[in-house]
Amino acid sequence: MRNNLSALDKIVAEESTPETPIYIKKLDEGVQAEANNDGSIFIDSDTPISEAKTAISHEKVHIDQMDRGDLNYDENHVYWKGKKYSRKTMNEGSKKLPWEKEAYKKQ
């Protein structure tokens, strides 16, 4: 774990809300943050401080997409505006995916 934990804690405290709590945890390699179906966000404990707010902002777009009913997911699929995408065949996080286009644009 990096020595940025106290700085990351501060960012999380500033960005977290009762509706969208943010938790620091170790995520899979290459994953900086994740939006969850319950409205929470996980941010990786190793996310560089210089990228933390952008990562959280990006995931907040996904939370909004889920709140609107445009985005949902389960273990095997991502659902975007009624269309089903297999997680086995996609490059998750790709800027080409329709839900990611909006998130990258607004982050």
Side-chain angles (χ1 to χ4, degrees), residues 22-88:
I22 302 169
Y23 304 101
I24 300 168
K25 69 179 276 187
K26 186 67 184 154
L27 299 176
D28 291 340
E29 183 71 30
V31 177
Q32 286 190 333
E34 295 177 346
N36 301 300
N37 279 329
D38 66 1
S40 67
I41 293 172
F42 295 151
I43 185 157
D44 187 77
S45 55
D46 289 335
T47 298
I49 296 306
S50 61
E51 298 174 18
K53 284 190 177 186
T54 301
I56 291 168
S57 176
H58 181 100
E59 297 309 319
K60 283 183 176 181
V61 175
H62 292 318
I63 296 293
D64 181 59
Q65 292 168 333
M66 287 186 268
D67 287 347
R68 293 190 322 243
D70 290 341
L71 178 65
N72 200 352
Y73 68 89
D74 59 33
E75 190 174 315
N76 298 312
H77 298 92
V78 174
Y79 306 91
W80 174 251
K81 295 185 176 182
K83 188 172 179 184
K84 186 174 166 181
Y85 296 80
S86 172
R87 293 180 101 165
K88 288 182 183 178

Side-chain angles (χ1 to χ4, degrees), residues 85-98:
Y85 296 80
S86 172
R87 293 180 101 165
K88 288 182 183 178
T89 60
M90 80 169 67
N91 177 12
E92 289 199 45
S94 169
K95 292 180 181 183
K96 294 179 181 181
L97 295 168

